[in-house]
Amino acid sequence: MRNLFLSDSCQEGQLHALTPQSWLQVERAKLSKSSLYSTSSIESLIKVAEPPILALFKPVDYVQVLAQIHEELESCTPQERSSLHLLQFQVFRGLEEVKLLERSLHSAWQNATTIHEKLVYGSWLRYKKQGEEVISDLLSSCEKCSQEFGFVDVASQIPVKTVHMVSECSYDVSQVSSTVHFRIGDEMIPCERQKIAALSPPFNTMLNGSFTESHLEVIDLSENGISPVGMRAVSKFSSTGQLDDLSVEILLEILIFSNTFCCVRLKVACDKKLASLVSSHQDAVDLMECAVEENTPILAASCLQVLLHELPQCLNDEQVVKIFLNASKQQRTTMAGHASFSLYCFLSEVAMNIDPSSDVTACFLEKLVESAVSTRQKQMAFHQLGCVRLMRKEYSEAEHDFNAAFAAGHVYSVAGLARLAFIKGDQILSYEKLTSVISSHQPLGWMYQERSLYSEGDRKWEDLDKATELDPTLTYPYLYRAACLMRKQDAQLALAEINHVLGFKLSLECLELRFCFYLALEDYKAALCDVQAILTLAPEYRMFEGRVTASQLRTLVREHVEQWTLADCWLQLYDRWSSVDDIGSLSVIYQMLESDAAKGVLYFRQSLLLLRLNCPEAAMRSLQLACQHAATEHERLVYEGWILYDTGHCEEGLEKAEESISIQRSFEAFFLKAYALADSSLDPSCSATVVSLLEDALKCPSDRLRKGQSSIFQALNNLGSVYVDCGKLDMAADCYINALKIQHTRAHQGLGRVHFLKNDRKAAYEEMTKLIEKARNNASAYEKRSEYCEREHTKDDLLMVTQLDPLRVYPYRYRAAVLMDNHKEKEAIAELTRAITFKADLHLLHLRAAFHEHTGDISSALRDCRAALSLDPNHQEMLELHKRVNSQEP
């Protein structure tokens, strides 16, 4: 939501809109450096977007909520499990834990007890896996089946009540003919009287009761909407219990007829028959209206399956949207059973991803509110609807929704209420709302961040600093502080502030702001680096409030940067890789991809960098591009193997490596095989094979730069690690020393480990010091060095780790353990709580649960155990602690 930019006073009237033209004038050097670095030109370039109110479920105490869900899962009925896993999914979504939310969604699908739940969750999972079709294709090439969430036989999974009708006559059957003729227009359709009577109570009453028709041999049904063909099919069904292959039109006639005369068995047969004919988008659209009107659940579910299977594309069809939006409560039940809330949760997510402020999104969320039953469901639904209505500037409606969510217990919705109060001109009320929440709940980073929007001067800075202290993952405080420092023309501090957050969180907004800083400073080389990194992460990214594409800005910046030859690029890449400058490496590779260099190799290197930067989606995109641009078949097989390996299919990745080797022995193929074998084999003796494979990789000749220096280092590094595991320390040291000879800085860490295992802590410490001095991103190096020094120095190193990368959990655990050893139980628990507040981590929760158990706080220990098991239900130590703690609960 990069649309509103706040000045110091947070007033919309004081916002400066940047025009692309003004930037182009600056970029084409039409302004002097002195004028460029003036306050007005900096203001035109540097804007900090107001932090968006996230349309996510964000409970104040997510640990407590996860624990409650886990507790309910332990005792609930099978029918309740899917809904609980959906709630768990929403919690993890609010925490931005992608792997955990996908696992919860998968659990919801696995525990579905109705066909409607299976359809919704299966389609949701399929939607989440868009773009992963290549993985299914690769598994097929290995003669393995990927787990698909494809079409299911709906009719076989919807239970149907068996109805037995026995016709009862109120007269002597010998007095009337056993055959009755139904006149439809000019045609007479003969039927067996008692067979037709057995179809339903109304027919039984008509033909065997005291009505006139019971004595007639001819009954006129011309006005009952059924054709002669349809009636003949009804007659045959009354005798055989089967419907012939009929056209959709005739089946619809029979369906309406069966509803009119309450013929349950006939309706079910017709429902199933029509359901079997739904095979296309248009079939589903045409038949869904009839399905919900005539209350045919099998047909409705079959239509729903087709429509959900086609998301998100089918939402471009107005007829489809109307189907979901016009359905009444009863019709929603016919269409989705008891999964209405899940269905509209899914549809709302898809619609928001397309356009969060669209009419369709708002209407789907209104349906979500209607479908919400539990308090938690209402919290989610009202809050999301409030966010969308705020974006749509429907302020009165948004206020109603945020109030409803807040009243239901969703404290985060106060952020929306504060924004609305500010829009109405009541800044004091906005500030007071946040102050009230801070004083009455566990203070969280977002609370201070939000309150900072309605304060000025020192109070604003204090709130932003407190927000960072409580939640260092929030980017807005860094952005704001950096922008303010730049406006004060303190470029060095401004860059230090933005570099701080980029050291542990690769944020597009942060890269964009730093790009603006470099423009203001006329450091076009650095600006080019950042914009190329942005384009690597998001090729379609738009900058300056969405007004200019990043690719356009790159073109303009390049005019002011000396162009490198391909050889220059390789040297630059080598230097950046050696100095652990991952963002710089991304930029160089992006530039090299425009040359005649082997693109498959470059995309592969790009994917490795992106994985290290914790950008798995972008990494997978690069790996797929490596496959597409592979120069040879054996090279393509290697990249396919890495795709399979990275998605958890180690054995299939191993097969691809072996297939590649059978065509041509290459460094990458042997390296992949070693990696995959080490990961897929539980046999300790496989270490020797892994060593042999890595040695084979290093013996392979260079082929079109595929065997680059970085790959050699990685092989040497892995070989050294295996040697360490095997106790061959001298051989491991040789590997790391050889890696250092080609200036690969990370080898210091491996060599330090060897020194430590040889009981030479001083040498180990010195090796890690060298790494710290050389590496641009060195938080991990400080963390590793802390293991090789005395306790006091360890404390200093770990404090530095937390300062550089607050997401690393080991320092919190270490400090907490030291405090616990010193009998400072409260301080130890507080240290863990500090990190748990913004990072859901199993090890932190595990340790805090153990501390609570030690202090006799069994209820808190049990809470942490349950929350931890929500993160990893199969963690053995956690299961044992949970069992022990649970047995102590009163």
Side-chain angles (χ1 to χ4, degrees):
M1 186 172 145
R2 224 168 20 260
N3 55 349
L4 292 178
F5 283 73
L6 291 177
S7 65
D8 283 358
S9 60
C10 192
Q11 295 205 3
E12 206 168 323
Q14 295 180 338
L15 301 182
H16 300 278
L18 174 71
T19 63
Q21 290 77 15
S22 67
W23 185 84
L24 297 181
Q25 289 174 351
V26 172
E27 181 52 29
R28 292 197 170 110
K30 293 182 180 178
L31 299 177
S32 67
K33 185 168 185 177
S34 59
S35 65
L36 177 61
Y37 197 40
S38 66
T39 303
S40 60
S41 63
I42 290 174
E43 284 289 345
S44 70
L45 281 172
I46 299 165
K47 300 292 178 182
V48 178
E50 179 182 285
I53 299 174
L54 303 173
L56 300 172
F57 180 51
K58 295 179 74 68
V60 169
D61 188 351
Y62 76 86
V63 173
Q64 184 65 41
V65 174
L66 286 175
Q68 289 170 353
I69 294 169
H70 189 273
E71 183 179 10
E72 290 174 38
L73 283 167
E74 291 177 324
S75 58
C76 70
T77 64
Q79 291 74 23
E80 296 172 308
R81 296 186 70 83
S82 282
S83 295
L84 287 168
H85 282 297
L86 175 59
L87 176 61
Q88 192 181 66
F89 161 84
Q90 296 291 359
V91 175
F92 289 137
R93 189 165 170 240
L95 292 169
E96 299 181 33
E97 293 286 348
V98 177
K99 290 184 178 179
L100 294 176
L101 70 85
E102 288 180 354
R103 195 200 65 211
S104 293
L105 191 59
H106 196 272
S107 296
W109 175 73
Q110 285 181 315
N111 287 279
T113 56
T114 69
I115 183 60
H116 302 99
E117 289 177 332
K118 289 175 184 176
L119 293 180
V120 171
Y121 295 128
S123 298
W124 207 334
L125 285 164
R126 186 175 181 277
Y127 171 76
K128 290 283 188 185
K129 292 181 177 293
Q130 285 181 109
E132 295 184 12
E133 294 80 1
V134 64
I135 298 170
S136 300
D137 295 340
L138 291 177
L139 288 172
S140 298
S141 71
C142 298
E143 298 183 353
K144 298 287 176 70
C145 294
S146 63
Q147 187 175 37
E148 290 290 341
F149 305 100
F151 290 102
V152 298
D153 181 7
V154 171
S156 66
Q157 299 196 41
I158 294 185
V160 177
K161 294 181 180 179
T162 304
V163 178
H164 297 286
M165 272 298 303
V166 179
S167 59
E168 298 180 0
C169 299
S170 59
Y171 58 85
D172 186 353
V173 295
S174 62
Q175 294 178 358
V176 296
S177 171
S178 61
T179 301
V180 61
H181 292 78
F182 291 102
R183 179 187 292 119
I184 299 174
D186 296 331
E187 294 193 42
M188 303 284 285
I189 293 85
C191 303
E192 290 188 49
R193 181 183 293 271
Q194 297 310 315
K195 294 289 179 66
I196 294 293
L199 287 177
S200 71
F203 269 128
N204 185 50
T205 302
M206 176 194 292
L207 299 176
N208 291 331
S210 56
F211 290 94
T212 303
E213 289 86 349
S214 63
H215 299 283
L216 297 178
E217 294 185 11
V218 177
I219 299 174
D220 193 347
L221 289 182
S222 299
E223 302 301 321
N224 289 88
I226 192 164
S227 67
V229 175
M231 194 62 213
R232 289 191 188 93
V234 172
S235 177
K236 186 171 183 179
F237 177 85
S238 71
S239 299
T240 65
Q242 300 291 326
L243 282 173
D244 290 338
D245 292 333
L246 302 165
S247 69
V248 171
E249 292 74 19
I250 297 301
L251 287 169
L252 290 174
E253 280 183 14
I254 298 172
L255 176 62
I256 295 169
F257 178 85
S258 66
N259 256 343
T260 302
F261 289 96
C262 303
C263 304
V264 178
R265 287 188 301 119
L266 178 60
K267 178 181 177 180
V268 169
C270 201
D271 192 3
K272 289 182 178 180
K273 201 75 173 178
L274 282 166
S276 70
L277 299 177
V278 180
S279 60
S280 70
H281 171 90
Q282 199 56 49
D283 291 338
V285 171
D286 293 341
L287 292 173
M288 181 63 96
E289 182 179 358
C290 176
V292 295
E293 286 183 358
E294 299 299 327
N295 190 24
T296 51
I298 301 174
L299 176 58
S302 296
C303 295
L304 179 66
Q305 175 171 223
V306 170
L307 297 178
L308 294 182
H309 196 76
E310 294 182 349
L311 285 170
Q313 291 80 7
C314 73
L315 291 187
N316 295 323
D317 187 338
E318 289 184 8
Q319 288 181 289
V320 173
V321 173
K322 286 179 181 178
I323 285 170
F324 292 123
L325 294 185
N326 294 340
S328 65
K329 184 177 181 180
Q330 177 57 47
Q331 289 173 336
R332 291 200 300 269
T333 302
T334 300
M335 180 169 55
H338 296 294
S340 287
F341 184 81
S342 306
L343 172 63
Y344 285 99
C345 238
F346 176 29
L347 292 174
S348 299
E349 180 182 320
V350 176
M352 289 188 77
N353 289 340
I354 297 170
D355 182 358
S357 60
S358 69
D359 291 343
V360 172
T361 302
C363 291
F364 279 157
L365 286 169
E366 287 171 4
K367 289 293 182 183
L368 184 66
V369 167
E370 290 177 21
S371 304
V373 176
S374 70
T375 300
R376 291 162 177 163
Q377 288 177 346
K378 290 175 181 177
Q379 290 176 16
M380 282 185 277
F382 276 114
H383 176 73
Q384 289 184 59
L385 183 55
C387 289
V388 168
R389 283 178 165 162
L390 178 60
M391 280 188 275
R392 290 163 59 87
K393 298 185 178 180
E394 299 170 354
Y395 298 136
S396 295
E397 295 86 346
E399 184 174 17
H400 169 270
D401 296 327
F402 283 132
N403 269 319
F406 186 74
H410 193 247
V411 177
Y412 178 61
S413 296
V414 76
L417 294 171
R419 298 281 175 100
L420 289 165
F422 179 76
I423 288 169
K424 292 178 180 179
D426 198 339
Q427 183 173 338
I428 294 175
L429 179 60
S430 299
Y431 186 89
E432 289 175 348
K433 282 182 178 293
L434 271 305
T435 301
S436 175
V437 164
I438 289 169
S439 62
S440 56
H441 294 83
Q442 172 192 342
L444 297 174
W446 67 260
M447 298 176 184
Y448 286 94
Q449 174 179 275
E450 288 298 313
R451 192 172 73 171
S452 74
L453 302 178
Y454 315 113
S455 54
E456 298 174 5
D458 290 343
R459 284 201 307 177
K460 188 182 192 76
W461 278 77
E462 287 170 6
D463 277 350
L464 289 170
D465 288 343
K466 188 66 175 179
T468 299
E469 177 190 331
L470 293 174
D471 187 352
T473 67
L474 296 171
T475 57
Y476 173 75
Y478 301 97
L479 294 169
Y480 182 89
R481 287 190 293 261
C484 285
L485 290 166
M486 197 66 180
R487 290 190 190 103
K488 294 175 182 177
Q489 301 193 21
D490 196 337
Q492 188 174 354
L493 285 178
L495 285 169
E497 185 72 22
I498 208 70
N499 288 339
H500 182 193
V501 66
L502 283 171
F504 64 88
K505 184 176 182 179
L506 190 55
S507 159
L508 289 169
E509 289 79 9
C510 292
L511 281 172
E512 181 177 349
L513 186 61
R514 191 169 72 175
F515 168 83
C516 294
F517 289 176
Y518 287 135
L519 282 186
L521 297 170
E522 289 191 356
D523 187 347
Y524 297 121
K525 185 178 177 180
L528 181 64
C529 175
D530 280 350
V531 76
Q532 289 181 161
I534 287 170
L535 285 165
T536 300
L537 294 165
E540 306 301 320
Y541 191 76
R542 300 184 70 86
M543 301 170 72
F544 295 149
E545 303 174 341
R547 292 189 173 95
V548 189
T549 64
S551 57
Q552 287 176 300
L553 294 176
R554 174 183 179 267
T555 300
L556 293 167
V557 172
R558 283 195 71 185
E559 295 177 10
H560 301 274
V561 178
E562 181 183 354
Q563 300 303 299
W564 290 333
T565 65
L566 183 58
D568 291 333
C569 287
W570 277 110
L571 289 173
Q572 292 290 335
L573 181 60
Y574 178 52
D575 289 343
R576 282 161 175 73
W577 193 283
S578 299
S579 62
V580 199
D581 178 7
D582 294 335
I583 293 176
S585 298
L586 282 180
S587 175
V588 175
I589 288 176
Y590 186 92
Q591 189 164 329
M592 293 173 74
L593 284 166
E594 293 184 336
S595 69
D596 295 328
K599 288 185 172 52
V601 179
L602 292 172
Y603 279 121
F604 178 60
R605 297 283 168 249
Q606 191 181 74
S607 73
L608 296 177
L609 286 165
L610 289 166
L611 278 177
R612 193 155 65 229
L613 288 165
N614 195 29
C615 303
E617 292 182 5
M620 182 56 65
R621 183 176 64 241
S622 295
L623 205 45
Q624 291 179 15
L625 287 168
C627 284
Q628 294 172 22
H629 291 87
T632 62
E633 183 182 0
H634 66 83
E635 184 180 338
R636 176 181 55 79
L637 287 167
V638 169
Y639 301 147
E640 289 178 352
W642 281 113
I643 288 175
L644 290 166
Y645 174 84
D646 287 344
T647 53
H649 304 285
C650 295
E651 292 182 6
E652 291 75 16
L654 188 60
E655 288 180 28
K656 291 290 183 181
E658 291 170 344
E659 189 179 349
S660 178
I661 291 169
S662 70
I663 298 173
Q664 180 172 321
R665 294 166 65 87
S666 69
F667 175 88
E668 289 291 3
F670 277 114
F671 187 61
L672 168 61
K673 185 175 179 180
Y675 232 83
L677 183 64
D679 206 32
S680 62
S681 176
L682 299 176
D683 185 358
S685 64
C686 83
S687 295
T689 307
V690 172
V691 168
S692 176
L693 289 169
L694 290 171
E695 290 173 342
D696 286 340
L698 291 168
K699 292 174 185 175
C700 289
S702 177
D703 181 11
R704 296 186 68 217
L705 294 175
R706 183 169 55 255
K707 184 184 171 187
Q709 297 283 22
S710 57
S711 295
I712 294 173
F713 162 70
Q714 194 62 46
L716 288 168
N717 191 57
N718 282 54
L719 188 56
S721 180
V722 175
Y723 280 141
V724 168
D725 292 341
C726 296
K728 301 177 180 180
L729 299 182
D730 291 336
M731 298 178 74
D734 289 340
C735 289
Y736 294 126
I737 290 169
N738 286 333
L740 286 170
K741 287 177 180 177
I742 55 175
Q743 298 182 30
H744 272 286
T745 313
R746 295 181 190 86
H748 285 296
Q749 182 166 321
L751 192 55
R753 183 183 176 200
V754 170
H755 289 314
F756 178 72
L757 292 173
K758 288 183 175 182
N759 295 318
D760 191 346
R761 293 170 66 96
K762 182 181 178 182
Y765 183 90
E766 289 173 354
E767 284 298 329
M768 294 312 301
T769 301
K770 292 175 185 177
L771 176 56
I772 288 168
E773 292 169 351
K774 295 177 183 179
R776 177 165 295 192
N777 298 318
N778 52 20
S780 62
Y782 275 107
E783 182 173 299
K784 196 66 182 175
R785 191 177 74 170
S786 71
E787 299 177 22
Y788 307 143
C789 51
E790 300 303 324
R791 174 171 281 195
E792 196 56 40
H793 289 121
T794 296
K795 181 181 177 182
D796 292 340
D797 273 357
L798 292 179
L799 284 172
M800 179 60 74
V801 173
T802 299
Q803 180 181 337
L804 294 172
D805 184 355
L807 297 180
R808 301 185 78 90
V809 300
Y810 173 74
Y812 301 100
R813 293 167 60 204
Y814 178 88
R815 288 190 291 265
V818 170
L819 289 166
M820 204 66 178
D821 287 344
N822 293 331
H823 307 290
K824 297 179 179 179
E825 290 87 355
K826 288 183 179 180
E827 292 88 341
I829 291 171
E831 179 68 21
L832 295 173
T833 301
R834 171 189 167 199
I836 289 169
T837 300
F838 61 84
K839 184 172 178 63
D841 181 82
L842 177 123
H843 301 292
L844 293 172
L845 285 166
H846 186 187
L847 190 58
R848 193 172 74 171
F851 286 1
H852 281 309
E853 182 194 27
H854 178 76
T855 60
D857 188 350
I858 301 305
S859 61
S860 295
L862 190 57
R863 176 204 61 206
D864 284 351
C865 286
R866 286 168 172 160
L869 288 172
S870 297
L871 304 181
D872 184 357
N874 301 313
H875 191 271
Q876 193 57 43
E877 291 183 21
M878 201 69 249
L879 288 167
E880 292 172 2
L881 179 59
H882 176 250
K883 182 179 180 181
R884 186 172 70 244
V885 171
N886 203 25
S887 67
Q888 299 175 50
E889 189 181 32

